[in-house]
Amino acid sequence: MARADPPPPPPAAFERRVLRSAAEHHYLRVRLELPDGGARPSAAQFKQLVVTALRELHGEVGAALPVDVLTYEEKTLSAILRVTSSGLVKLWSALTLLGFYQNRRCAFRVLQTSPFLLALSGNSRELVLD
Amino acid sequence: MRMSVPLRRLRQAPRHLLVCEKSHARHARSRHAAHVRDHAYNCRVSFLIPECGTLPEVLKSTIADVGEYYLLRNLSLHELVTHEFIDTFVKKGSCHALTYNTKIDQDNTAALLPTGKLILSVDKDTYEELGLQGRPSQYSGKKVMRYIITIDLMDPSFHPDSKKHKRVLWALKEKKPLEFDFLLAWCNTGAEGSTLMSYFPKNQIQTLKPKITFSTLRDLQCPVLQSNELQGKPEESCSTEELFEWLGAVLNQVSLDNKSFSFLSTYCCPQPNTIVEQAFLCTITGFIIPEAIIQLLEKLCCYFDEPKLAHWLTLTVHGFADSPVSWRESEHGFHKGGENLYNFVVFRNLDYWLQMAVGTNDDCPP
């Protein structure tokens, strides 16, 4: 015998919540620039490089900052990083000041940053029309 | 010891707002369509339907109906305030125009709203040379470096012989000629009348079609949601912020099944969640007018007319980072990201959640 469905709940009443500067994390879309040729870092090496950058500028406490490599593409050396909001300035400064990867010159370019991961999936500044 | 002020600032993230609303799509007083209409400039629309393998025909044709738009190269700004243009386009339909490849934190920018308001966001030097009345930008701090000028093209006192019109035309034509590349879209209710293509010279205007991509995501972890619980309930459903981050992860192709101890990333799908066999993702990129988005949202609501496996679907809309307005005429600026976006979660029973997110240089969404 078919079980009787429970009565559907009433339609949702209007409710509005405003969250002010409440984002737990910030997200950065970055690209690593390396001279042509030579080995490209794997995902784990890339994460290690980020941690090294943090250690160089902010010491062991900086190196302990929780940073997630959400995506990493070895071909383009681009990645999306996630960091707790209070650590955004630390991470950004550490990436900016990093100059070497395995004794080769390198530079991090921060392409986009936002408290909303969703915002990184549509950047109008990279809109290419044809 | 108290932390010194500069050090404390280092730990502060820039201001941002996320507004979450819930209501029902068939409520007489529901404002969902108004919120879409008020957000004039949109560069990307994506929708995600769980448990959907192929798109219903009606949605396919709605996507195909998302109109063309135009790219106008090197348009002198005074051409938008001539009475010929106002009478042919601005007064006879809804006309959207936004400068293309201009950065609002360094360049001059202009936008024509469908209400007939022309909004210029200009630096201090340009403002002084133009000699038109405006106001300092809300986000310029102590030393004003940017001004906003609003010209109402539909104002009855803005007729061809008025002093006001003559002055605006003179300022933009002779005093300080401004030239931009523009994105333009126009939709009119009547069928007759001239078109933008025939109005502007052929070598200046180019028709563009929105870019559409489809993909099917396999074995996707989806959060469990309850339409009545914006904040979620432990063990029962996820909150609106969790959904917002999860959707960002899905659209950015972030892997969802990490462990809390993994080295690379500890992000995982919020709990509780279910695995859906397949989900359909469609992304439309271009200069998309609100009317098209309202159509699409309506058709997505109709998706649930017939019984479906999906409990909810989402519709995400990204605004332009460099538009001078976000919703209505609220001033928008680019601080660190220029984000202004919104997302609908439409539930099976047509309850919906609307999430509106803005960055530092923005008013609270409506």
Side-chain angles (χ1 to χ4, degrees):
Chain A
M1 201 178 81
R3 192 156 51 98
D5 279 339
F14 179 76
E15 184 188 335
R16 178 178 166 104
R17 290 179 67 209
V18 180
L19 305 161
R20 278 169 227 279
S21 304
E24 222 176 292
H25 295 102
H26 268 65
Y27 305 86
L28 293 104
R29 209 149 55 77
V30 299
R31 195 182 63 232
L32 179 66
E33 284 190 1
L34 282 174
D36 289 335
R40 287 159 180 272
S42 66
Q45 287 170 320
F46 185 86
K47 168 84 192 256
Q48 190 57 45
L49 184 64
V50 173
V51 176
T52 309
L54 280 163
R55 185 176 290 120
E56 270 178 27
L57 190 65
H58 300 288
E60 286 303 325
V61 177
L65 187 73
V67 177
D68 292 311
V69 178
L70 295 183
T71 64
Y72 173 66
E73 201 184 320
E74 207 173 309
K75 212 173 92 198
T76 57
L77 294 174
S78 45
I80 295 179
L81 306 180
R82 176 173 86 154
V83 65
T84 42
S85 294
S86 62
L88 173 70
V89 178
K90 269 189 185 166
L91 176 63
W92 198 333
S93 52
L95 293 178
T96 305
L97 292 172
L98 185 78
F100 286 94
Y101 169 67
Q102 293 180 347
N103 296 321
R104 285 187 291 160
R105 306 276 312 162
C106 78
F108 266 108
R109 305 277 176 236
V110 176
L111 306 174
Q112 198 184 357
T113 159
S114 178
F116 312 109
L117 181 53
L118 195 53
L120 301 194
S121 70
N123 185 357
S124 64
R125 286 197 168 177
E126 289 168 4
L127 195 64
V128 187
L129 307 174
D130 51 7
Chain B
M1 207 180 77
R2 277 181 57 203
M3 217 185 260
S4 68
V5 173
L7 271 181
R8 205 168 54 219
R9 285 242 177 91
L10 274 182
R11 298 178 55 83
Q12 267 172 11
R15 190 185 84 99
H16 53 270
L17 285 170
L18 174 65
V19 175
C20 306
E21 289 188 359
K22 75 172 165 69
S23 186
H24 187 80
R26 298 289 175 253
H27 266 173
R29 287 169 63 194
S30 170
R31 296 188 297 171
H32 61 282
H35 285 322
V36 177
R37 193 173 298 116
D38 288 343
H39 196 267
Y41 306 111
N42 312 292
C43 69
R44 175 166 284 178
V45 177
S46 322
F47 62 85
L48 177 79
I49 311 179
E51 307 279 13
C52 170
T54 47
L55 207 57
E57 283 304 318
V58 58
L59 277 170
K60 268 187 203 157
S61 65
T62 313
I63 297 165
D65 279 349
V66 172
E68 306 178 317
Y69 57 100
Y70 305 92
L71 177 61
L72 259 170
R73 299 228 179 249
N74 309 324
L75 181 75
S76 177
L77 190 57
H78 80 266
E79 294 206 35
L80 293 186
V81 297
T82 58
H83 264 273
E84 210 186 341
F85 182 81
I86 296 174
D87 290 337
T88 331
F89 299 106
V90 181
K91 288 189 178 165
K92 285 202 182 135
S94 69
C95 193
H96 296 74
L98 180 67
T99 47
Y100 174 55
N101 269 350
T102 50
K103 295 185 172 162
I104 199 159
D105 48 350
Q106 43 190 336
D107 308 328
N108 296 324
T109 305
L112 176 60
L113 284 166
T115 52
K117 296 260 175 80
L118 178 67
I119 295 175
L120 313 179
S121 169
V122 293
D123 57 40
K124 181 167 159 281
D125 292 354
T126 313
Y127 181 70
E128 282 164 2
E129 278 182 74
L130 269 175
L132 292 173
Q133 200 188 354
R135 58 169 177 83
S137 158
Q138 253 174 279
Y139 308 108
S140 48
K142 271 183 204 153
K143 201 170 172 203
V144 181
M145 295 305 283
R146 180 159 289 276
Y147 288 83
I148 310 292
I149 302 168
T150 307
I151 304 164
D152 188 357
L153 306 183
M154 305 271 250
D155 186 356
S157 71
F158 197 74
H159 58 81
D161 302 321
S162 65
K163 264 191 185 169
K164 204 172 175 182
H165 182 246
K166 280 182 183 151
R167 176 153 183 103
V168 170
L169 208 56
W170 169 77
L172 295 175
K173 204 172 177 177
E174 283 157 45
K175 190 80 204 315
K176 174 75 185 167
L178 295 171
E179 220 179 65
F180 298 104
D181 289 350
F182 268 99
L183 291 172
L184 257 166
W186 184 58
C187 84
N188 69 335
T189 36
E192 38 75 54
S194 49
T195 62
L196 287 162
M197 269 316 256
S198 56
Y199 184 86
F200 291 101
K202 281 245 153 33
N203 54 2
Q204 203 181 13
I205 192 165
Q206 184 188 353
T207 313
L208 295 168
K209 281 197 166 71
K211 242 181 252 160
I212 300 169
T213 59
F214 301 112
S215 56
T216 306
L217 312 175
R218 305 271 169 204
D219 301 318
L220 182 70
Q221 282 179 291
C222 285
V224 172
L225 305 176
Q226 276 176 20
S227 63
N228 268 315
E229 298 289 344
L230 267 185
Q231 308 196 40
K233 264 187 182 170
E235 312 287 316
E236 277 180 39
S237 68
C238 298
S239 71
T240 143
E241 301 101 290
E242 285 173 321
L243 173 91
F244 204 61
E245 191 188 35
W246 171 84
L247 191 60
V250 172
L251 295 194
N252 282 303
Q253 288 132 36
V254 172
S255 102
L256 298 176
D257 49 0
N258 297 298
K259 301 280 184 298
S260 57
F261 53 81
S262 52
F263 176 62
L264 269 188
S265 158
T266 55
Y267 179 74
C268 43
C269 181
Q271 295 280 352
N273 57 48
T274 55
I275 294 183
V276 305
E277 225 168 83
Q278 53 185 3
F280 193 90
L281 173 67
C282 169
T283 301
I284 309 166
T285 310
F287 186 61
I288 305 156
I289 58 170
E291 282 80 359
I293 301 171
I294 293 175
Q295 272 290 320
L296 181 59
L297 179 60
E298 188 48 45
K299 291 286 159 15
L300 284 171
C301 288
C302 296
Y303 177 78
F304 289 115
D305 282 354
E306 285 163 30
K308 292 283 176 357
L309 278 172
H311 290 267
W312 45 263
L313 54 84
T314 65
L315 173 73
T316 312
V317 180
H318 289 274
F320 279 84
D322 295 294
S323 132
V325 293
S326 53
W327 273 270
R328 293 185 201 140
E329 286 170 40
S330 299
E331 190 187 331
H332 169 80
F334 190 103
H335 183 256
K336 288 205 162 53
E339 50 276 274
N340 64 111
L341 66 149
Y342 61 89
N343 175 54
F344 280 99
V345 185
V346 181
F347 291 88
R348 206 188 252 176
N349 63 353
L350 298 191
D351 284 350
Y352 70 85
W353 290 356
L354 168 60
Q355 301 159 314
M356 297 179 275
V358 292
T360 310
N361 290 354
D362 262 294
D363 269 341
C364 189

